[in-house]
Amino acid sequence: QVQLVESGGGLVQAGGSRRLSCAASGRTFSSYAMGWFRQAPGKEREFVAAISWSGGSTSYKNSVKGRFAISRDNAKNTVYLQMNSLKPEDTAIYYCAQDCVTGRPSPTDYSVNYCYWGQGTQVTVSS
């Protein structure tokens, strides 16, 4: 059983920073691409960022480019999302997800390609 546990959410003022962590267990972490998604109240879940299994390729939602950075530490079975210059519209529950297949050469932004999900961590940005 694959388990993903997010942490690092909380309340932050606009313009501030926050780093989210996702700890994985249950199968070979380093073989899978990882992604971050978010869902705001009354909105659909949306793609935020993804990173390839090797860490060599990343992908971002346009509105977070230049502000957010995804990274991974395969030795620790952990993926991170560094969030800078936060805006109130970034307020959402953030979810970590693991790709369904191993060795995908490029990160994917399609939620259907992620088979394992964490329970989410709340990020609230105040103005």
Side-chain angles (χ1 to χ4, degrees), residues 1-78:
Q1 179 181 347
V2 174
Q3 296 184 56
L4 304 175
V5 181
E6 302 96 336
S7 62
L11 178 64
V12 60
Q13 292 184 318
S17 298
R18 201 83 179 182
R19 189 177 80 157
L20 307 183
S21 298
C22 173
S25 63
R27 66 176 180 174
T28 306
F29 172 82
S30 62
S31 298
Y32 298 86
M34 300 292 293
W36 286 97
F37 293 75
R38 68 186 183 187
Q39 186 169 23
K43 303 295 183 181
E44 298 292 329
R45 184 174 298 185
E46 65 179 5
F47 169 78
V48 177
I51 187 167
S52 65
W53 68 272
S54 66
S57 298
T58 58
S59 182
Y60 296 93
K61 175 180 173 64
N62 286 337
S63 64
V64 308
K65 289 181 179 178
R67 299 190 298 120
F68 290 11
I70 188 171
S71 62
R72 66 191 299 160
D73 186 340
N74 287 344
K76 296 182 178 180
N77 287 357
T78 302

